[in-house]
Amino acid sequence: MTPTQDGPNAPQVSPGSTIPPEELDRMTDDIIAALKTVYDPEIPSDIYELGLIYRVDIDDNRNVTIDMTLTAPGCPVAGEMPGWVENAVSTVQGVQSVQVNMVFDPPWDQSRMSDEARVALDMW
């Protein structure tokens, strides 16, 4: 599978080989929309626009694996945020299961933020 990436904040999305392309596109869009509902309580921007999602993999059985990070390893919600992500993505139609992995390599930096997040945080 060849991952695709659409911008500095876009996660790598590995397409499933047996899922019809239209369904995969819909699931990917819906997963991204679900990720945009999860906010770091200390930062007024969602985790997707902050660039905290590194990888989204949808396998042939529609199980989703997400690699994500935090702005800092000592984040106070480090233990809770993976559950928030799992709960949000599990509501997407067609998703069978969700596994969230917390990773810190590569370390997050501000270059992963979208323009939307930069505007929200006044970080130009």
Side-chain angles (χ1 to χ4, degrees):
M1 290 189 263
T2 305
T4 59
Q5 191 160 3
D6 295 316
N9 66 317
Q12 293 183 350
V13 179
S14 301
S17 59
T18 63
I19 299 174
E22 307 80 32
E23 183 180 357
L24 184 61
D25 288 346
R26 183 210 40 90
M27 286 182 71
T28 300
D29 290 346
D30 291 351
I31 288 168
I32 290 171
L35 291 169
K36 288 183 172 202
T37 68
V38 180
Y39 283 74
D40 182 323
E42 297 178 333
I43 303 173
S45 188
D46 67 76
I47 64 170
Y48 181 82
E49 296 300 335
L50 284 171
L52 299 181
I53 304 299
Y54 283 2
R55 184 178 69 91
V56 176
D57 183 65
I58 305 168
D59 73 15
D60 292 343
N61 295 317
R62 293 163 179 78
N63 300 308
V64 178
T65 303
I66 297 171
D67 290 348
M68 68 170 293
T69 195
L70 302 169
T71 56
C75 178
V77 294
E80 299 170 49
M81 196 174 294
W84 299 344
V85 170
E86 182 180 334
N87 290 339
V89 174
S90 68
T91 66
V92 171
Q93 181 183 358
V95 169
Q96 296 302 309
S97 70
V98 182
Q99 177 181 337
V100 179
N101 302 314
M102 190 65 65
V103 298
F104 294 100
D105 187 30
W108 178 87
D109 65 52
Q110 295 176 2
S111 70
R112 296 193 55 86
M113 292 179 7
S114 70
D115 289 345
E116 180 180 313
R118 291 177 191 284
V119 168
L121 300 173
D122 196 24
M123 297 182 78
W124 289 99

